[in-house]
Amino acid sequence: MEQYLGIDVGGTNVKMGIVDATNGRISNFYSHDTASWRTSGHFIERLGDAISLQLAEFPEVSRVGIGVPGLITRDRTTLIEITAIPEIDGMEIVPDLKKRFPDHDFFLENDANAAALGEYYFGEDKLPEDYIFVTLGTGIGGAAIIDKKVFKGGGGNAMEPGHVPSRNEKVLERNIGKKELLDMANQMRANYTGSTQLPSDGTISTTGLVAAATNGDELAKQIFLEMGYMLGEGLVSMVRILDITTILIGGGISASFEFIMPAINERLNYWLTPYYLKTINIKRATLANDAGLLGAASLCFE
Amino acid sequence: MEQYLGIDVGGTNVKMGIVDATNGRISNFYSHDTASWRTSGHFIERLGDAISLQLAEFPEVSRVGIGVPGLITRDRTTLIEITAIPEIDGMEIVPDLKKRFPDHDFFLENDANAAALGEYYFGEDKLPEDYIFVTLGTGIGGAAIIDKKVFKGGGGNAMEPGHVPSRNEKVLERNIGKKELLDMANQMRANYTGSTQLPSDGTISTTGLVAAATNGDELAKQIFLEMGYMLGEGLVSMVRILDITTILIGGGISASFEFIMPAINERLNYWLTPYYLKTINIKRATLANDAGLLGAASLCFE
């Protein structure tokens, strides 16, 4: 039974665990707050200490996958810009860890890329070897998997769907990121004269929006259609540039999946030709909370 | 001295020639009108006959590159949809030719992809191993080269920059393809009250536009800025999705290069961050008329 150590480095917590390669079961889960390692000035050493404890308990594990929230070098050895943890920018994390653990192999990847790959190896659905992965949350993240591998593009950091041009001279995530979605919702609520469950005091939440849409609230459904319309337009560019027609949608706001889909479908049908439409398939990602850790572990299949 | 046979299958002519791999010099150039081979009902056989003549004269040539104007299978063996020559749709051109010429290797590629790769091996400028190639002509074509190889994407036919969403619910090439550019030019001419060299009778040509802009004509320059503005927006999506910052612009209307660049630069600076802008480099493709044939030959470097 092959096992990997998966590590999800986040701005709030660093999570790790031993992952069973055959079924994605996580054992020996461990989480540490990121802040104290940051302020210690020895982030990589503390991370190494935590890895050391895991490997001591699981001596048969030889591969370690690490997902980080930011830009990394194309050769996947070095951190370039980790906005949430600027102390580690520029660190040669893979060679550093390899020096301390010479018998182990380390696989570094951007966290959204890792989460995308995790869906292939550990997701509920059987996926094709090529797909686009888009996460809806504070920002709009993403990745592309081509031939079962993370698509790196030219410089190594391909797939920034949140930053393609969208409406009103804004990039996509400045239109439909979480804050922008709620701003739009509150705005549409203020102008709405019909009956709705949504509060009019500017306190609409994403869970409230999904709940209202689920209850059939017309305004909530309209808001998600607006969002889906803009997302669909961004997806069309990706489909045309990458020639990939399976699209997974994940992230917290993918709870809106069924409400954004009609608008996404309208846009895809408007912009795409039969060559694409005959195989187009949009579905919801399945890993949810463990996506980061399982994604990191999935890097070890390489 | 390594030599390759390059074949550029076009809607009007099929061109071929022996290409010196070291310097791109073409010898034994041969061109045949496409129409008569189409109506013969034996296009691939006639193509094979022409190849046979070339190979008889150059027995040392063992590799043949073929560029075709349309969609091909991801494994590069079979034609899917060649709009200009529908008679050959579905033909297994590589296995068919291999059967006739068992000692030779055949390399099939879409023509825009081949032309893009040709710039790497035979262009005037030293290029990096990753770049985007966009052609301005009747349509807006393109390709991406990653690691000195044609980027195929998921399904094999990546990079359709002419078909990304652009202004007014139209794809990019329906806004700035040749016909659309001239429609816009004639429209802007009709509304223009200043002094201009451009004819007001709806007969503006692309060469006339370039000539006027070169002479400092303000309206001609404005028209190209409009075009550059829309092109620049499309380029931003490609840069964000592919993480590639060298962009080559080719095709007949790239004669407008210096006039569209100010608007392209304005858009790139507006949408992109320093991570991209520090290496962004837009230049004109250099192969011009021989791009198709040299591009086809460059496939043989594989």
Side-chain angles (χ1 to χ4, degrees):
Chain A
M1 183 182 77
E2 183 98 40
Q3 293 184 311
Y4 302 136
L5 174 56
I7 305 178
D8 177 21
V9 176
T12 310
N13 291 294
V14 177
K15 299 172 189 170
M16 58 180 76
I18 303 295
V19 175
D20 184 325
T22 55
N23 57 23
R25 239 185 313 250
I26 299 169
S27 56
N28 222 39
F29 177 80
Y30 169 87
S31 175
H32 198 285
D33 70 294
T34 305
S36 65
W37 285 0
R38 285 182 59 185
T39 52
S40 78
H42 298 278
F43 192 96
I44 306 291
E45 289 86 338
R46 295 296 79 77
L47 177 66
D49 295 344
I51 291 171
S52 174
L53 290 173
Q54 293 275 341
L55 296 178
E57 284 188 70
F58 290 82
E60 69 279 23
V61 168
S62 68
R63 299 184 147 224
V64 181
I66 306 174
V68 294
L71 303 176
I72 59 179
T73 55
R74 185 174 175 179
D75 66 4
R76 274 34 187 167
T77 62
T78 304
L79 308 170
I80 298 176
E81 190 182 315
I82 312 298
T83 316
I85 318 171
E87 293 80 4
I88 57 176
D89 287 356
M91 294 252 173
E92 295 179 343
I93 183 170
V94 170
D96 285 354
L97 290 170
K98 186 78 184 168
K99 218 171 282 166
R100 182 160 171 187
F101 306 96
D103 299 332
H104 291 76
D105 290 319
F106 293 87
F107 302 91
L108 178 68
E109 195 44 86
N110 164 273
D111 57 358
N113 289 345
L117 192 64
E119 294 286 335
Y120 183 85
Y121 288 103
F122 299 121
E124 283 170 29
D125 301 335
K126 169 87 185 130
L127 292 174
E129 298 188 358
D130 311 299
Y131 54 92
I132 289 167
F133 178 74
V134 174
T135 56
L136 309 179
T138 308
I140 309 295
I145 303 296
I146 299 183
D147 287 334
K148 298 195 292 185
K149 294 202 187 80
V150 169
F151 171 58
K152 297 181 190 175
N157 294 287
M159 284 299 286
E160 290 284 359
H163 294 92
V164 299
S166 173
R167 287 199 209 157
N168 306 320
E169 292 277 284
K170 288 176 184 169
V171 297
L172 187 60
E173 73 178 21
R174 289 287 72 79
N175 281 325
I176 61 165
K178 182 176 175 182
K179 179 185 173 298
E180 293 76 9
L181 171 67
L182 294 180
D183 286 349
M184 177 173 75
N186 285 315
Q187 188 63 50
M188 286 175 71
R189 174 67 186 86
N191 298 331
Y192 193 67
T193 52
S195 145
T196 175
Q197 304 168 28
L198 297 176
S200 59
D201 58 354
T203 62
I204 297 173
S205 67
T206 51
T207 46
L209 261 183
V210 172
T214 307
N215 287 337
D217 189 280
E218 283 304 323
L219 178 59
K221 291 204 289 189
Q222 260 182 48
I223 291 164
F224 281 130
L225 288 179
E226 277 297 302
M227 177 180 179
Y229 199 84
M230 289 189 269
L231 178 60
E233 208 118 321
L235 294 178
V236 169
S237 293
M238 288 178 249
V239 169
R240 289 288 194 170
I241 291 171
L242 301 173
D243 192 12
I244 297 178
T245 52
T246 297
I247 301 172
L248 288 194
I249 298 183
I253 302 179
S254 68
S256 66
F257 187 79
E258 64 175 297
F259 307 111
I260 59 178
M261 275 310 295
I264 290 176
N265 280 328
E266 191 278 326
R267 290 286 77 191
L268 297 177
N269 284 312
Y270 177 80
W271 290 106
L272 296 175
T273 54
Y275 171 75
Y276 306 96
L277 290 172
K278 70 177 190 284
T279 54
I280 203 101
N281 186 11
I282 323 269
K283 25 194 202 175
R284 207 173 153 188
T286 60
L287 291 182
N289 286 336
D290 295 327
L293 207 163
L294 291 175
S298 75
L299 302 168
C300 301
F301 282 99
E302 189 174 281
Chain B
M1 184 180 78
E2 183 99 39
Q3 292 185 312
Y4 302 136
L5 173 57
I7 305 178
D8 178 21
V9 176
T12 310
N13 291 296
V14 177
K15 300 173 189 169
M16 58 180 76
I18 303 295
V19 174
D20 183 326
T22 55
N23 57 23
R25 238 182 316 247
I26 299 168
S27 56
N28 222 39
F29 178 80
Y30 169 86
S31 176
H32 198 285
D33 71 293
T34 305
S36 64
W37 284 0
R38 285 182 57 184
T39 53
S40 78
H42 299 278
F43 191 96
I44 306 291
E45 290 84 339
R46 294 296 80 76
L47 177 66
D49 295 344
I51 291 172
S52 174
L53 289 174
Q54 293 276 340
L55 296 178
E57 284 188 70
F58 290 83
E60 68 278 23
V61 168
S62 69
R63 299 184 148 224
V64 181
I66 305 173
V68 295
L71 301 177
I72 59 179
T73 55
R74 185 174 174 177
D75 67 3
R76 276 30 190 167
T77 62
T78 304
L79 308 170
I80 297 177
E81 191 182 315
I82 312 298
T83 317
I85 317 170
E87 292 80 4
I88 57 175
D89 287 355
M91 294 255 173
E92 296 179 343
I93 183 171
V94 171
D96 284 355
L97 290 170
K98 185 78 186 169
K99 217 171 284 166
R100 183 161 171 188
F101 306 96
D103 299 332
H104 291 75
D105 290 317
F106 294 87
F107 302 91
L108 178 68
E109 195 43 84
N110 162 274
D111 58 358
N113 288 345
L117 192 65
E119 294 286 337
Y120 183 85
Y121 288 103
F122 299 121
E124 282 171 30
D125 300 335
K126 168 89 184 129
L127 291 174
E129 297 188 359
D130 310 300
Y131 55 92
I132 289 167
F133 177 75
V134 173
T135 55
L136 309 179
T138 307
I140 309 295
I145 302 298
I146 299 183
D147 287 333
K148 297 195 293 186
K149 294 203 187 77
V150 168
F151 171 58
K152 297 180 189 175
N157 293 287
M159 284 297 286
E160 289 284 0
H163 294 92
V164 299
S166 173
R167 287 198 209 159
N168 306 320
E169 292 276 284
K170 289 176 183 168
V171 297
L172 187 61
E173 73 180 21
R174 289 287 73 77
N175 280 325
I176 60 165
K178 183 177 174 181
K179 178 183 173 301
E180 293 76 8
L181 171 68
L182 294 179
D183 286 348
M184 176 173 77
N186 285 314
Q187 189 62 49
M188 285 174 72
R189 174 66 186 88
N191 298 331
Y192 193 69
T193 52
S195 144
T196 174
Q197 304 169 29
L198 297 176
S200 57
D201 58 355
T203 62
I204 298 174
S205 67
T206 51
T207 44
L209 262 183
V210 172
T214 306
N215 288 337
D217 189 280
E218 283 304 322
L219 178 60
K221 292 205 288 190
Q222 260 181 49
I223 291 163
F224 282 130
L225 288 179
E226 278 297 302
M227 176 179 180
Y229 199 85
M230 290 189 269
L231 178 59
E233 208 117 318
L235 294 177
V236 169
S237 293
M238 288 178 248
V239 169
R240 288 288 195 171
I241 291 170
L242 301 172
D243 191 12
I244 297 178
T245 51
T246 297
I247 301 172
L248 289 193
I249 297 183
I253 303 179
S254 68
S256 65
F257 187 79
E258 64 175 298
F259 307 112
I260 58 178
M261 274 311 293
I264 290 176
N265 280 328
E266 191 278 327
R267 290 284 78 191
L268 297 177
N269 285 312
Y270 177 80
W271 290 106
L272 297 175
T273 55
Y275 170 76
Y276 305 97
L277 290 172
K278 69 179 191 283
T279 54
I280 203 98
N281 186 11
I282 322 269
K283 24 195 205 176
R284 208 174 153 186
T286 60
L287 291 182
N289 286 337
D290 295 327
L293 207 162
L294 291 175
S298 75
L299 301 168
C300 301
F301 282 99
E302 189 174 282

